[in-house]
Structure formats: C-alpha cells, structure tokens
Amino acid sequence: MRDAAKDCEACQLYKRATQTVFGEGPKSASIMLVGEQPGDSEDVAGKPFVGPAGKIMDQALEEVGIDRKDIYVTNAVKHFKWEPRGKRRIHQKPNSREIAACRPWLEAELRIVRPKLVVAMGATAAQTIFGPSFRVTRERGKVLSSKLAPRVLATIHPSSLLRQPDEASRQREYKHFVSDLRAASRAAEE
C-alpha cells in the first residue's frame, strides 16, 4: 500500500510535494495517531512527525510511557501543502477536496492496523474522522466512536503548541496534551 501511495495523483498536492509521506509503525499497533498533513521536515525526510511538532509529540509520548515504536503514526493528508515565503515553505491547511482524496489511504491504514484506539490530533484529523461539524475544543479527551473507527480520542495537534503566544500558555497546553495522551493510553488498554 505504501508503494501504491507513492504514485498517488488523486489531487493537485503531489505536484509541489517532494514525496508522499505515508504512515509508519507496526501493523499490530494498539494506538494510531493521526495528524493533519506532513510538514516541511516530513516532506523532505519522507517520514511522519519528524519535525518540530514531532519532537513535541515524542516528548509527550515519552512522558506518558508510550514507546513510539509501538504505535502507528500517520496523517489524514499524505502530501505537504505549502506556499513560498522567502526561502521557506509555509504550511497551508488542506481543503476538503484534498482531504477527501486522501481518505481512502487513511481508511486502508485503519483496516490493516485495526488499532484499539485512534488519536485524532487537530481539527483536520478529527473532522476527517467525525465530519466537518466536529470541534476538538468541545470533545477533546473523550473516547468517542465514528464510522471509521470504533474508538477515537480527539486532541490538539502538537504544532499548535508551537504557536502559543507565551511560555505559560505553551506549558499549560502541553500539560493538557499529555493528559489527553494518558487518557488515550488507558483507553487502549481497556
């Protein structure tokens, strides 16, 4: 499936992306983390969550006692959507058509891995799983059910921690993120 995704041209994002960034982790993972899309670092490396947000996620996972090697990490969208700003490539939110084009890849990952729990990180991942009216701010940290997966917990995307206005906000939101991952760990063991 990963090889088939390398040649995906279901939407226009493949034209500007360096490569398809498919999910990775064991097929027997009890937890699947789903983010929005690869960022600049992920697009270059070809691996999910290896940039600044991935480092925050890894730190939080370690704090909770979840070994990243034991979970499956992926994104709702498999190509990096960006706009140039000087010499930098700045992330742009994928639109509903781009998300829909990648949905079959996420559905296939869910069918193969069959995790006990999916953690939807951020609005794009959560809305891909629950629909466009879903709000992470209202349902954060709760184990819910969807058509795509029987048990899903929504939380913030770790990149949102990078955009907090000050250190106190970053620390507060990081603690909430860790708390959500603790709830996910407990739910996956049930």
Side-chain angles (χ1 to χ4, degrees):
M1 194 171 58
R2 181 176 281 111
D3 287 340
K6 285 180 185 174
D7 299 322
C8 183
E9 297 179 2
C11 73
Q12 300 298 310
L13 294 183
Y14 79 93
K15 291 180 178 179
R16 295 183 71 200
T18 304
Q19 59 192 312
T20 303
V21 180
F22 208 73
E24 65 180 16
K27 281 195 257 184
S28 60
S30 61
I31 298 175
M32 179 185 285
L33 300 181
V34 180
E36 178 185 80
Q37 69 168 333
D40 185 61
S41 299
E42 291 79 8
D43 182 57
V44 171
K47 295 179 173 289
F49 289 95
V50 295
K55 287 178 179 34
I56 291 171
M57 182 190 78
D58 288 346
Q59 178 185 339
L61 288 170
E62 187 176 324
E63 197 169 317
V64 171
I66 298 172
D67 189 336
R68 180 169 171 164
K69 289 180 274 182
D70 295 335
I71 62 173
Y72 191 90
V73 292
T74 192
N75 284 295
V77 174
K78 308 302 186 198
H79 287 110
F80 179 38
K81 183 175 184 177
W82 59 276
E83 67 179 25
R85 194 167 302 151
K87 292 184 179 187
R88 295 178 32 159
R89 300 187 308 166
I90 304 300
H91 160 277
Q92 281 198 303
K93 185 178 172 87
N95 64 39
S96 59
R97 200 171 143 265
E98 294 155 347
I99 293 166
C102 275
R103 187 177 167 113
W105 297 118
L106 179 60
E107 289 174 354
E109 287 173 300
L110 286 164
R111 275 193 312 274
I112 290 169
V113 178
R114 293 186 3 218
K116 291 181 180 177
L117 181 77
V118 173
V119 178
M121 298 189 299
T124 298
Q127 290 173 356
T128 299
I129 293 170
F130 291 110
S133 64
F134 187 86
R135 297 291 172 261
V136 173
T137 52
R138 286 197 300 254
E139 303 295 339
R140 178 180 184 173
K142 300 175 188 171
V143 178
L144 305 168
S145 153
S146 81
K147 291 178 184 172
L148 277 183
R151 303 183 80 218
V152 183
L153 182 141
T155 187
I156 61 164
H157 193 285
S159 66
S160 70
L161 298 170
L162 298 167
R163 296 186 301 272
Q164 292 298 312
D166 55 53
E167 187 59 31
S169 298
R170 271 188 290 285
Q171 289 300 320
R172 182 183 66 248
E173 290 306 313
Y174 176 78
K175 285 180 183 174
H176 289 308
F177 181 56
V178 168
S179 177
D180 291 343
L181 291 178
R182 273 203 180 88
S185 180
R186 285 191 303 272
E189 291 173 3
E190 291 176 357

Short mmCIF file of all heavy atoms in Angstrom, two decimals, residues 7-14 79 97 101-102 105:
data_model
loop_
_atom_site.label_atom_id
_atom_site.label_comp_id
_atom_site.label_asym_id
_atom_site.label_seq_id
_atom_site.Cartn_x
_atom_site.Cartn_y
_atom_site.Cartn_z
N ASP A 7 2.75 6.89 -5.89
CA ASP A 7 2.35 7.40 -7.21
C ASP A 7 0.99 8.08 -7.20
O ASP A 7 0.40 8.31 -8.25
CB ASP A 7 2.34 6.25 -8.23
CG ASP A 7 3.72 5.63 -8.38
OD1 ASP A 7 4.72 6.38 -8.35
OD2 ASP A 7 3.80 4.39 -8.51
N CYS A 8 0.46 8.39 -6.02
CA CYS A 8 -0.88 8.97 -5.92
C CYS A 8 -0.93 10.36 -6.57
O CYS A 8 -0.10 11.23 -6.28
CB CYS A 8 -1.32 9.07 -4.47
SG CYS A 8 -3.00 9.70 -4.28
N GLU A 9 -1.92 10.55 -7.43
CA GLU A 9 -2.18 11.84 -8.07
C GLU A 9 -3.66 12.19 -7.95
O GLU A 9 -4.23 12.82 -8.84
CB GLU A 9 -1.74 11.79 -9.54
CG GLU A 9 -0.26 11.55 -9.71
CD GLU A 9 0.18 11.48 -11.17
OE1 GLU A 9 -0.66 11.66 -12.08
OE2 GLU A 9 1.38 11.26 -11.39
N ALA A 10 -4.28 11.77 -6.85
CA ALA A 10 -5.72 11.97 -6.66
C ALA A 10 -6.10 13.44 -6.48
O ALA A 10 -7.25 13.80 -6.67
CB ALA A 10 -6.21 11.15 -5.47
N CYS A 11 -5.16 14.28 -6.09
CA CYS A 11 -5.39 15.72 -6.00
C CYS A 11 -4.13 16.43 -6.49
O CYS A 11 -3.14 15.78 -6.83
CB CYS A 11 -5.75 16.14 -4.57
SG CYS A 11 -4.36 16.11 -3.42
N GLN A 12 -4.14 17.73 -6.49
CA GLN A 12 -3.03 18.51 -7.03
C GLN A 12 -1.81 18.62 -6.10
O GLN A 12 -0.75 19.06 -6.53
CB GLN A 12 -3.51 19.93 -7.38
CG GLN A 12 -4.63 19.97 -8.39
CD GLN A 12 -4.19 19.38 -9.73
OE1 GLN A 12 -3.15 19.74 -10.26
NE2 GLN A 12 -4.97 18.46 -10.25
N LEU A 13 -1.95 18.21 -4.86
CA LEU A 13 -0.86 18.40 -3.90
C LEU A 13 0.42 17.65 -4.29
O LEU A 13 1.52 18.11 -3.97
CB LEU A 13 -1.29 17.97 -2.49
CG LEU A 13 -2.38 18.81 -1.83
CD1 LEU A 13 -2.65 18.32 -0.43
CD2 LEU A 13 -2.02 20.29 -1.83
N TYR A 14 0.31 16.55 -4.99
CA TYR A 14 1.50 15.77 -5.35
C TYR A 14 2.47 16.59 -6.22
O TYR A 14 3.68 16.34 -6.22
CB TYR A 14 1.11 14.47 -6.06
CG TYR A 14 0.75 14.65 -7.52
CD1 TYR A 14 1.73 14.50 -8.52
CD2 TYR A 14 -0.53 15.00 -7.91
CE1 TYR A 14 1.41 14.68 -9.86
CE2 TYR A 14 -0.85 15.18 -9.24
CZ TYR A 14 0.12 15.02 -10.22
OH TYR A 14 -0.19 15.21 -11.53
N HIS A 79 0.40 14.42 1.37
CA HIS A 79 1.34 15.33 0.70
C HIS A 79 1.34 16.67 1.43
O HIS A 79 0.31 17.10 1.95
CB HIS A 79 0.96 15.57 -0.77
CG HIS A 79 1.23 14.40 -1.65
ND1 HIS A 79 0.22 13.64 -2.20
CD2 HIS A 79 2.39 13.86 -2.09
CE1 HIS A 79 0.76 12.68 -2.94
NE2 HIS A 79 2.07 12.80 -2.88
N ARG A 97 -11.51 18.91 -0.52
CA ARG A 97 -11.26 18.04 -1.67
C ARG A 97 -9.96 17.26 -1.51
O ARG A 97 -9.87 16.06 -1.82
CB ARG A 97 -11.22 18.88 -2.95
CG ARG A 97 -11.45 18.04 -4.18
CD ARG A 97 -11.64 18.91 -5.43
NE ARG A 97 -11.01 18.21 -6.51
CZ ARG A 97 -9.77 18.41 -6.94
NH1 ARG A 97 -9.04 19.35 -6.42
NH2 ARG A 97 -9.26 17.68 -7.89
N ALA A 101 -9.57 13.24 -1.08
CA ALA A 101 -8.72 12.47 -1.99
C ALA A 101 -7.82 11.50 -1.23
O ALA A 101 -7.51 10.41 -1.73
CB ALA A 101 -7.88 13.41 -2.86
N CYS A 102 -7.41 11.88 -0.03
CA CYS A 102 -6.52 11.03 0.78
C CYS A 102 -7.28 10.08 1.70
O CYS A 102 -6.68 9.16 2.27
CB CYS A 102 -5.58 11.89 1.63
SG CYS A 102 -4.10 12.41 0.76
N TRP A 105 -6.66 6.30 1.63
CA TRP A 105 -5.39 5.83 2.20
C TRP A 105 -5.54 5.66 3.72
O TRP A 105 -5.08 4.65 4.28
CB TRP A 105 -4.25 6.80 1.90
CG TRP A 105 -3.95 6.94 0.45
CD1 TRP A 105 -4.04 8.07 -0.32
CD2 TRP A 105 -3.52 5.91 -0.46
NE1 TRP A 105 -3.69 7.81 -1.62
CE2 TRP A 105 -3.36 6.50 -1.73
CE3 TRP A 105 -3.24 4.56 -0.31
CZ2 TRP A 105 -2.94 5.76 -2.84
CZ3 TRP A 105 -2.82 3.83 -1.41
CH2 TRP A 105 -2.68 4.43 -2.65
#
